[in-house]
Amino acid sequence: VQLQAYGGGLVQAGGSLRLSCAASARTFSNYHMGWFRQAPGKEREFVAAISRSGGRTISADSVKGRFTISRDSAKNTVYLQMNSLKPEDTAVYYCAVGVIISDRALGVDYWGHGTQVTVSS
């Protein structure tokens, strides 16, 4: 399983970024997909996930109302639209896929490479 994440960068607080994660058609159809992040010195944490059908989304309390996850089946790509960014959102963001999605998180079977998001104050 190969996942290609991109779209990170440097943005001022209050700004927006959109992350993308491209997968193969087989991966896209077989797995739930999601995003995690890891800030320096901290453990990796769940951010948001979306079901295979796209009909169910979940997100961490820290990003609710600011981040939106979506998926485009025509492009085999999942997106994370991040608005109202805060300095504490600074982290490496990882795309991931799994077969189990709960009310609170995604069970990860495969990780993609990360993309750096830096929010300046």
Side-chain angles (χ1 to χ4, degrees):
V1 172
Q2 291 188 325
L3 303 169
Q4 183 64 46
Y6 53 95
L10 173 64
V11 64
Q12 288 188 331
S16 298
L17 279 175
R18 188 177 78 161
L19 304 183
S20 302
C21 177
S24 69
R26 181 175 181 179
T27 297
F28 193 81
S29 63
N30 286 346
Y31 292 96
H32 309 302
M33 300 183 73
W35 292 93
F36 290 71
R37 66 186 181 186
Q38 187 167 18
K42 294 187 177 181
E43 293 186 354
R44 194 170 297 188
E45 65 175 2
F46 169 74
V47 176
I50 187 166
S51 63
R52 275 191 299 262
S53 68
R56 180 184 181 190
T57 62
I58 56 173
S59 60
D61 289 343
S62 59
V63 305
K64 274 189 170 68
R66 300 188 299 122
F67 292 10
T68 302
I69 189 169
S70 62
R71 58 193 291 159
D72 185 338
S73 58
K75 297 182 178 180
N76 299 325
T77 299
V78 65
Y79 302 100
L80 185 68
Q81 178 66 44
M82 305 185 294
N83 299 327
S84 302
L85 282 160
K86 305 175 181 179
E88 51 263 44
D89 294 319
T90 294
V92 177
Y93 283 70
Y94 296 89
C95 179
V97 299
V99 296
I100 296 175
I101 185 171
S102 70
D103 290 339
R104 297 178 64 84
L106 172 71
V108 177
D109 293 303
Y110 299 97
W111 294 99
H113 294 293
T115 183
Q116 176 72 46
V117 172
T118 303
V119 184
S120 63
S121 57

